[in-house]
Amino acid sequence: KGGYDHFMLKEIMEQPRAVKATMAPRIRGNDIVLDDADMDMHGIRKIIITACGSAYYAGCAAKYAIEALCRIPVSVELASELRYCNPLIGEDTLLIALSQSGETADTIAALREGKSRGARTLAIVNVVGSTVAKIADWCLYTWAGPEIAVATTKGYTTQLTALYLFALHTAKQLNTVDDATYRSMLSALKALPKQLQQALDMNPEIPQLAKKYHKAKSMFFIGRNTDYAVALEGALKMKEISYLHAEAYAAGELKHGTIALIEDKQPVVALCCNDAITEKTMSNIVEVKARGAEVLAVAPRGNGRILSLADDMIFVPQVNPLFSAVVEIVP
Ligand code: BG6
C-alpha cells in the first residue's frame, strides 16, 4: 500500500503520475499522436460512449469537451441499457467503450452489439490485453498502473484524460478548431498533472470536513454542465465508499421538485469549477441556503462570493472549463 492505509488512498495520490503516464507518450511537441495511425474520424456523424459505473460518468464529463472541440454529437449510454435497446448504430457511428478492467460483462456486450451493427469502435482501457481492448478496432491504453481498489479513482481520471486527447486530436484532424485554440487547449492539457498535484496538496483540512459531514443521512451534489458530471461521480463515490445516501442533481433542476427535500442542516456539495456557469450555480446555492442547507463548495480560490455563501470550502486550481472535471473530482 506504499505506506497508505488503503489502496484507494494510494491510488488517489497516484493520479498526477497516472494522468502524466496517459498523456506523455502521446504528446510530441505540438502534436497528439494516438496509438493507431489509421484512426480516421472523417465520415463519423455521431459518437456513442458506453460504459458502467464511474467509467460511464467519465464519459458524461468528456461529452462536453468532445462536442465543443469536434462538433460531433455525443451520447453517453449505460452499457447495461445499450445492449438491450435496439440502438441506432451504423457505419457512421464511433462507439467508444470505456473500462478500467476491460472485463465488465455489460461493456463487452455493448461493444459487441455496436460492432455487429457496423460501428467503428475504440476501446479506452487500462488492463493490457483485456477483452474490451481485443474486441475494439482501435485502442488507447490509459497506462494508469494496477488499480486494486474496487471503486475506481485513477481509472476515472485517466479515462477522462484519454478522451480529452482523443477530442483534441480529432478536432485537429477534422479542422474544427483553429491553430490558436488547438495550441491553448494542448497547453491546458499539459498542465493537468501539475494541477492534479496541487488539488491534492491544497486541502489539508479535508479529514476535518469528513468528520463534520459523515453523520449526515444523505447528501446532495449539485452543479451544471461539466460540474454536473462531476456531481454524478461524486455522489456515486459517496454512496459506494461511505454507505451514505447521496444524490446528484443538475443545479437548475432542483426547483422542479427536489428542493422540497432540502431542510435544515442538509449537506449540499456545490460544484463550482466551470467559470462559464458558476454565477448560475451560485443562485442555486442561495436557494438551498434559504432552506437551511449546509453548503460545502468546491471552487477555485479567488471567488469571494462563493466564499461568502458557502459554509465550507474545498479549493482546486483554476483549470480550463473543458478539462476542469479531471481536477475537480480529486477532492
Ligand atoms: C464497478 C466499480 O464495479 O465497475 C466502478 O465499482 C467501475 O468503480 C465500474 O467504474 C466499471 O468497471 P470498469 O472496469 O469497466 O471500468
Side-chain angles (χ1 to χ4, degrees):
K1 296 182 204 146
Y4 294 102
D5 287 348
H6 313 281
F7 279 112
M8 188 174 174
L9 191 52
K10 172 176 176 277
E11 288 157 9
I12 286 170
M13 296 303 175
E14 282 171 356
Q15 287 176 107
R17 214 174 65 209
V19 163
K20 199 169 184 177
T22 309
M23 281 199 293
R26 291 162 179 140
I27 299 182
R28 311 225 180 108
N30 273 338
D31 286 323
I32 296 173
V33 182
L34 300 186
D35 311 32
D36 296 284
D38 63 338
M39 226 174 96
D40 186 0
M41 290 301 119
H42 290 96
I44 293 294
R45 298 282 167 261
K46 74 169 170 184
I47 295 175
I48 299 178
I49 301 177
T50 194
C52 300
S54 297
Y56 168 77
Y57 292 136
C60 293
K63 168 187 161 88
Y64 298 95
I66 301 172
E67 288 190 338
L69 295 170
C70 310
R71 308 312 292 155
I72 301 174
V74 178
S75 70
V76 190
E77 308 289 344
L78 290 165
S80 54
E81 292 292 320
L82 186 74
R83 61 183 290 197
Y84 299 117
C85 77
N86 192 10
L88 291 164
I89 293 177
E91 284 167 14
D92 61 352
T93 309
L94 174 72
L95 180 67
I96 304 180
L98 286 185
S99 178
Q100 188 286 125
S101 63
E103 299 298 348
T104 302
D106 284 320
T107 308
I108 294 169
L111 180 57
R112 288 208 163 108
E113 180 69 34
K115 263 201 113 166
S116 73
R117 287 169 189 253
R120 281 178 259 177
T121 52
L122 166 66
I124 294 183
V125 176
N126 190 35
V127 177
V128 175
S130 56
T131 308
V132 170
K134 281 191 206 148
I135 298 174
D137 302 318
W138 301 306
C139 180
L140 279 178
Y141 285 117
T142 52
W143 304 124
E147 192 171 60
I148 309 296
V150 171
T152 186
T153 53
K154 62 178 181 172
Y156 171 98
T157 39
T158 53
Q159 282 160 357
L160 203 39
T161 305
L163 285 166
Y164 293 157
L165 284 169
F166 161 80
L168 197 51
H169 178 269
T170 302
K172 192 173 186 191
Q173 189 179 75
L174 301 181
N175 242 331
T176 47
V177 287
D178 58 37
D179 278 358
T181 310
Y182 175 83
R183 277 197 303 275
S184 85
M185 290 295 160
L186 190 61
S187 61
L189 273 184
K190 286 180 187 169
L192 290 176
K194 198 168 158 205
Q195 291 169 322
L196 282 158
Q197 190 60 53
Q198 288 166 348
L200 287 170
D201 293 341
M202 69 203 293
N203 295 292
E205 64 289 352
I206 281 182
Q208 265 60 54
L209 291 173
K211 272 190 189 131
K212 171 174 171 185
Y213 285 97
H214 87 279
K215 290 194 186 108
K217 282 208 182 71
S218 76
M219 265 194 194
F220 278 87
F221 285 68
I222 61 168
R224 291 168 184 250
N225 199 276
T226 49
D227 287 329
Y228 173 50
V230 173
L232 290 163
E233 168 62 3
L236 175 64
K237 275 291 172 292
M238 189 55 72
K239 285 178 276 214
E240 194 174 9
I241 301 306
S242 308
Y243 305 156
L244 194 160
H245 175 257
E247 184 160 346
Y249 236 78
E253 191 63 14
L254 268 181
K255 58 181 167 294
H256 301 294
T258 321
I259 198 136
L261 288 171
I262 309 279
E263 292 180 327
D264 209 26
K265 299 277 176 231
Q266 169 66 53
V268 175
V269 179
L271 295 148
C272 309
C273 295
N274 187 326
D275 253 7
I277 205 82
T278 291
E279 274 294 321
K280 286 279 173 191
T281 306
M282 282 198 285
S283 69
N284 303 117
I285 297 180
V286 172
E287 281 168 9
V288 295
K289 287 290 295 174
R291 299 185 61 96
E294 205 146 2
V295 173
L296 167 58
V298 182
R301 239 184 248 286
N303 187 326
R305 206 158 145 240
I306 298 182
L307 206 59
S308 65
L309 283 176
D311 297 277
D312 294 296
M313 290 292 305
I314 290 178
F315 292 108
V316 286
Q318 185 88 48
V319 177
N320 182 304
L322 281 188
F323 305 141
S324 59
V326 75
V327 174
E328 183 179 14
I329 195 62
V330 167

